[in-house]
Amino acid sequence: MKDKLSIGEFAKLRNITTETLRHYDRIGLLKPIKIDPKTGYRYYSILQYEELGTIKELRQLGMSIDEIKKYFNNRNLKQSVNILEDKHNELKKKIKELQQLEESISEKIKHLQDISKVSDLEGIFIKEIKEREIITFDKSIKNEIDLSYACLQLENELKEIAPIVASNRYGAIIKQKDIGLNKYLESVVMFLFIKDKDNIDENHIIKIPKGTYACMYYKGSIWDREVHLKKMIEYIGEKAYRVCGDILQIVQIDISVTDKKEEELFEIQIPIKKY
């Protein structure tokens, strides 16, 4: 068995490329034991097998080249343990973030699959809904520009890993007082349902009480609410109910997942009580 190995032989031992070894040589991370001055061929010792293996494992842990160089600089047990502990903590944090992202994507896929099966559009139905919490800055929106800024401000306030796209967490609040005055486009503000209150200013959090809601799905834009609200208010009166709170207009399918206007879907939820 030989000690001196060609760059190809040495690379094969650790299942890496020769270009990776050349790169490690250029940056001073792992030098060959000899370079033939005539041919420029690099040769490595089998005794470097452990060092190369350690480099590969540290790279798998996500260490940068500078971090690996530090690891090999005057190695001792305490230093190595401290570095590995730091990297382990980073890895656990990343795993947690990936788990949160996976859960979020799974929820979004299920939501989109379920909501795409809704067939009773513009039909009114009654359902019981549990308490929810939202974040809002209570700023009125009048047009698409206002809407864009409102959504951006809400997203920036959250400290979540997973993106908000393709979810049913956005919505608009239509004030009860305006409905009584037949003002369906006045004082409309954007909100987001929240999952985690950490690092969110409590002053911006509102509880949406549990209760009975008259609901309707419709296709169109967020601004196409008036005709549907009038129909729902009429229905509520006919069924001997009364509106008992602010109305929610929730995005179910929006432009984050489709360019087709006819596929955009909203749900209106009106809190009601019997007279």
Side-chain angles (χ1 to χ4, degrees):
M1 300 180 70
K2 59 182 181 179
D3 172 38
K4 192 169 70 173
L5 304 170
S6 69
I7 188 171
E9 292 171 328
F10 194 55
K12 189 175 181 180
L13 288 175
R14 279 294 183 183
N15 194 28
I16 64 173
T17 67
T18 56
E19 179 51 38
T20 297
L21 284 175
R22 292 189 184 94
H23 176 63
Y24 289 168
D25 179 15
R26 287 193 294 268
I27 63 177
L29 182 59
L30 181 64
K31 290 286 190 181
I33 58 169
K34 180 182 178 181
I35 298 179
D36 190 306
K38 294 181 180 179
T39 63
Y41 290 168
R42 294 171 171 83
Y43 294 96
Y44 294 83
S45 168
I46 188 63
L47 299 178
Q48 293 175 287
Y49 180 82
E50 179 273 334
E51 185 176 1
L52 179 58
T54 301
I55 292 171
K56 185 177 180 181
E57 290 175 7
L58 296 179
R59 290 293 285 162
Q60 289 173 331
L61 287 175
M63 280 195 183
S64 67
I65 295 299
D66 287 341
E67 287 175 323
I68 295 174
K69 285 181 177 180
K70 180 180 178 182
Y71 182 87
F72 280 108
N73 184 27
N74 191 28
R75 266 192 294 181
N76 60 71
L77 179 60
K78 183 178 180 180
Q79 174 180 285
S80 296
V81 169
N82 289 339
I83 291 174
L84 290 174
E85 283 180 340
D86 289 343
K87 190 53 62 175
H88 186 215
N89 289 332
E90 289 179 18
L91 186 60
K92 287 192 293 185
K93 180 181 178 182
K94 184 176 181 180
I95 290 172
K96 183 178 179 180
E97 291 175 352
L98 288 173
Q99 287 174 333
Q100 291 174 346
L101 186 58
E102 189 280 328
E103 290 172 3
S104 176
I105 293 173
S106 178
E107 289 176 4
K108 290 172 185 179
I109 291 172
K110 186 177 187 308
H111 163 67
L112 291 174
Q113 289 174 335
D114 290 345
I115 203 67
S116 64
K117 297 174 185 175
V118 170
S119 57
D120 185 16
L121 295 177
E122 301 186 20
I124 302 170
F125 55 97
I126 306 295
K127 66 179 177 180
E128 298 294 322
I129 302 179
K130 64 183 181 180
E131 181 183 87
R132 297 161 289 177
E133 289 185 320
I134 63 171
I135 176 175
T136 180
F137 293 98
D138 206 31
K139 293 181 180 178
S140 298
I141 59 168
K142 303 289 186 182
N143 50 50
E144 293 290 340
I145 301 297
D146 291 343
L147 176 62
S148 296
Y149 276 109
C151 292
L152 181 62
Q153 185 179 20
L154 287 167
E155 285 191 33
N156 287 341
E157 183 70 13
L158 298 183
K159 309 300 180 185
E160 297 181 11
I161 302 301
I164 310 295
V165 296
S167 68
N168 58 339
R169 294 176 61 189
Y170 270 124
I173 300 172
I174 301 99
K175 303 294 185 180
Q176 180 184 5
K177 61 180 179 61
D178 289 329
I179 296 300
L181 298 172
N182 293 321
K183 296 179 179 180
Y184 299 95
L185 299 176
E186 299 292 329
S187 302
V188 176
V189 300
M190 293 301 295
F191 73 87
L192 268 175
F193 289 114
I194 59 175
K195 294 181 178 181
D196 187 353
K197 294 192 292 186
D198 289 349
N199 301 315
I200 297 178
D201 187 340
E202 292 285 343
N203 293 322
H204 300 313
I205 297 176
I206 296 176
K207 290 184 184 294
I208 305 297
K210 68 178 182 179
T212 306
Y213 288 77
C215 305
M216 174 197 282
Y217 291 111
Y218 78 88
K219 289 191 173 181
S221 79
I222 194 171
W223 313 106
D224 299 334
R225 68 177 71 93
E226 183 171 352
V227 63
H228 305 296
L229 282 171
K230 287 181 176 179
K231 178 180 176 180
M232 294 179 75
I233 297 299
E234 182 179 350
Y235 171 89
I236 289 168
E238 291 173 352
K239 297 298 182 181
Y241 285 103
R242 63 180 177 84
V243 178
C244 62
D246 293 341
I247 296 169
L248 304 182
Q249 181 184 13
I250 301 169
V251 178
Q252 297 291 349
I253 300 175
D254 67 0
I255 57 172
S256 67
V257 293
T258 181
D259 288 329
K260 301 183 186 303
K261 288 290 183 182
E262 65 272 17
E263 289 185 337
E264 291 185 45
L265 184 68
F266 293 82
E267 180 185 5
I268 298 174
Q269 297 178 352
I270 304 179
I272 55 175
K273 283 185 179 180
K274 281 287 188 180
Y275 275 106

